[in-house]
Amino acid sequence: MHANLKDQIALVTGAATGIGKAIADRFAANGATVFYTDVSHAAAEEAAAKGGGRALALDVTKPDQIHAAMRTVLEHCGRLDIVVNNAGINTHAHRVTIDEFPREEWDRILAVNLTGLYEVSSAAAKIMRPQRSGRIINISSIAGVVPLRLQCAYTAAKAGVNNLTRAMAIELGKDGILVNAIAPGSIVTDGTRELFYSEGSLFHENAQRMIDHIPLGRPGTPDEIAVAALFLAAPENTFTTGHILVVDGGWTAGYHRDF
């Protein structure tokens, strides 16, 4: 898929690896000026060098870094057209029921996945509203559409992302800003390889059972999510806002296994 993003200025959080890098790379390949941001500046620089963008250090839990990043974008480009809120975390060690789930893990996950997204979106909206144009694309999860067990904080955060997306779409639509979310299913990234998709991974024995629930019979790739993001960012998309675009190989379409 191709879209003309020439003269568009994009900022992607968590862009050093995985889904964020795939989105940033695809935007850059379609003509956008892309700021690759990540909590690790070195990793952002490496990704930006390969993808043809610019790197910024950005921890979404630190408002001062968010505002500094926005100032840098404005100083260099004078505007901001697309923001992708991709930065996110989950827990590997605490796959437990809510009565055993540590409060500090809850706070850590919500701080990045929901509050960080709010902070970045708020800062971006302050730029986009005077322009009367812009796109905010939030990376959610099927965990925000269909709750998953043993992931109470992640599920709550992503459900919050979905309704925050809708709320922002309602608030910002009159200013020409489209706000949408993508809810990926299981995607092969460094994180899911560590959990499921490599020999010796934490839950390797469960990987096939999970895949059995996916009608397409496989996990997705970061670039398949990037294609969805490109559609939402494309100039031709002028009437889709407040939408949660599920990209999951059919996982949440219904009960797929025989019984």
Side-chain angles (χ1 to χ4, degrees):
M1 177 179 174
H2 298 283
N4 183 7
L5 299 184
K6 186 176 182 293
D7 300 325
Q8 296 287 290
I9 311 303
L11 181 147
V12 182
T13 68
T17 60
I19 290 171
K21 183 178 183 301
I23 292 172
D25 287 350
R26 188 165 278 266
F27 284 5
N30 281 268
T33 297
V34 183
F35 288 84
Y36 289 63
T37 79
D38 201 88
V39 68
S40 167
H41 190 223
E45 284 186 321
E46 182 178 354
K50 292 178 180 177
R54 306 180 185 186
L56 291 174
L58 177 54
D59 181 340
V60 299
T61 68
K62 297 180 178 178
D64 58 331
Q65 291 191 18
I66 294 170
H67 296 302
M70 296 297 176
R71 285 195 301 271
T72 297
V73 171
L74 287 179
E75 287 167 4
H76 284 84
C77 303
R79 61 183 296 111
L80 177 61
D81 301 294
I82 305 165
V83 165
V84 179
N85 284 302
N86 169 74
I89 57 173
N90 202 348
T91 181
H92 298 174
H94 300 286
R95 295 298 177 100
V96 294
T97 56
I98 192 167
D99 55 304
E100 297 178 348
F101 197 88
R103 173 59 189 269
E104 59 271 18
E105 274 295 89
W106 173 277
D107 290 342
R108 186 178 74 94
I109 290 169
L110 269 289
V112 175
N113 294 5
L114 186 55
T115 305
L117 184 147
Y118 149 76
E119 292 280 8
V120 173
S121 298
S122 175
K126 288 179 173 65
I127 299 170
M128 292 176 175
R129 289 186 71 195
Q131 295 174 176
R132 300 196 62 78
S133 67
R135 309 293 176 92
I136 298 175
I137 302 169
N138 300 322
I139 305 303
S140 180
S141 167
I142 62 161
V145 178
V146 179
L148 304 181
R149 63 188 294 272
L150 307 183
Q151 299 186 58
C152 62
Y154 187 78
T155 294
K158 293 302 186 180
V161 167
N162 290 347
N163 256 8
L164 179 57
T165 296
R166 296 181 181 109
M168 287 195 292
I170 295 167
E171 293 175 354
L172 301 176
K174 66 182 181 298
D175 296 304
I177 301 167
L178 307 185
V179 187
N180 294 286
I182 300 170
S186 189
I187 305 298
V188 178
T189 64
D190 291 344
T192 57
R193 285 190 188 93
E194 184 180 343
L195 284 174
F196 297 107
Y197 299 124
S198 64
E199 290 295 333
S201 57
L202 289 173
F203 305 111
H204 181 66
E205 67 278 7
N206 297 327
Q208 188 57 51
R209 282 193 296 158
M210 182 168 64
I211 291 172
D212 287 344
H213 285 277
I214 303 173
L216 293 188
R218 63 172 178 85
T221 67
D223 198 54
E224 287 174 312
I225 306 305
V227 168
L230 184 62
F231 158 70
L232 293 174
E236 293 81 2
N237 170 36
T238 56
F239 205 58
T240 301
T241 194
H243 182 63
I244 314 302
L245 178 57
V246 177
V247 185
D248 68 349
W251 188 356
T252 58
Y255 196 79
H256 179 64
R257 297 181 70 181
D258 294 330
F259 62 97

